[in-house]
């Protein structure tokens, strides 16, 4: 809606709720839903529709974690997931390794001890979905670095692994974005 209408006019969120992301699309569009505890799954946009104004619960969050901004998926067979933690670790793996679910907690995306999530010592800063032709821009403070897919081979691994450290100066990641060529 373009007239500045508040979201609470269309939905009834519980008190204290905050909005972390907004999605628009067709019923067959796919999105990656993830928590900063390192869990996530792929969901069909049609599975997010709710009949009642109060909405429905889709993503189960482990204790002490928060939801991350959803990522749109364009090519589910060939896309990759890039996950970055606040300690500067990054893991890149095929999106096909994640299940398509209607609701739940999901599978482990990047590994670290759950006790560090509850104490907020380590958590996922961002997840991004990218193709082999895309570049990944990592923002750390006022600096950023663009990494082509071929330069990310060092960070590729199996889903659920720890990941590798980013270069010095880029380990305190604020956000990541996919640059489409």
């Amino acid at each position: 809606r373009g007239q500045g209408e508040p979201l609470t006019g269309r939905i009834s969120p519980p008190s204290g709720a905050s909005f972390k992301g907004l999605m628009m699309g067709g019923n067959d569009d796919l999105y990656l839903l993830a928590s900063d505890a390192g869990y996530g799954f792929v969901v069909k946009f049609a599975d997010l529709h709710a009949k009642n104004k109060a909405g429905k619960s889709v993503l189960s969050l482990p204790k002490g974690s928060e939801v991350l901004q959803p990522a749109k998926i364009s090519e589910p067979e060939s896309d990759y997931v890039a996950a970055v933690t606040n300690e500067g670790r990054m893991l890149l793996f095929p999106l096909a390794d994640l299940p398509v679910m209607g609701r739940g907690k999901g599978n482990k995306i990047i590994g670290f001890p759950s006790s560090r999530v509850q104490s907020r010592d380590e958590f996922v800063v961002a997840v991004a979905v990218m193709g082999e032709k895309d570049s990944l821009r990592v923002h750390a403070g006022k600096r950023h670095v663009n990494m082509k897919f071929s330069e990310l081979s060092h960070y590729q691994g199996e889903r659920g692994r720890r990941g590798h450290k980013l270069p010095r100066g880029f380990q305190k990641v604020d956000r990541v974005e996919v640059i489409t060529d």
Side-chain angles (χ1 to χ4, degrees), residues 134-139 143-149 151-152 170 177-179 181:
D134 300 333
S135 299
L136 189 69
R137 181 175 289 166
V138 178
H139 293 269
R143 300 175 63 192
H144 70 271
V145 63
N146 289 342
M147 302 169 114
K148 293 181 181 172
F149 188 81
E151 298 168 354
L152 295 172
F170 296 100
E177 63 181 300
V178 176
I179 309 298
D181 293 336

Side-chain angles (χ1 to χ4, degrees), residues 63-154:
K63 187 176 182 181
S65 67
E66 296 179 13
V67 66
L68 293 174
Q69 184 163 342
K72 186 166 175 41
I73 298 168
S74 56
E75 297 291 329
E77 301 85 24
S78 61
D79 278 351
Y80 285 80
V81 175
V84 182
T85 68
N86 65 325
E87 297 215 334
R89 291 187 175 273
M90 183 163 74
L91 178 67
L92 187 74
F93 65 90
L95 177 70
D97 291 354
L98 285 177
V100 177
M101 301 168 60
R103 62 186 308 171
K105 180 175 161 183
N107 287 8
K108 193 69 147 164
I109 292 176
I110 187 168
F112 46 84
S114 60
S115 60
R116 291 182 58 84
V117 174
Q118 291 178 3
S119 63
R120 302 301 286 170
D121 289 335
E122 189 170 2
F123 52 89
V124 177
V125 175
V127 292
V129 177
M130 64 181 294
E132 293 183 10
K133 296 178 183 174
D134 300 333
S135 299
L136 189 69
R137 181 175 289 166
V138 178
H139 293 269
K142 293 182 179 179
R143 300 175 63 192
H144 70 271
V145 63
N146 289 342
M147 302 169 114
K148 293 181 181 172
F149 188 81
S150 59
E151 298 168 354
L152 295 172
S153 61
H154 173 67

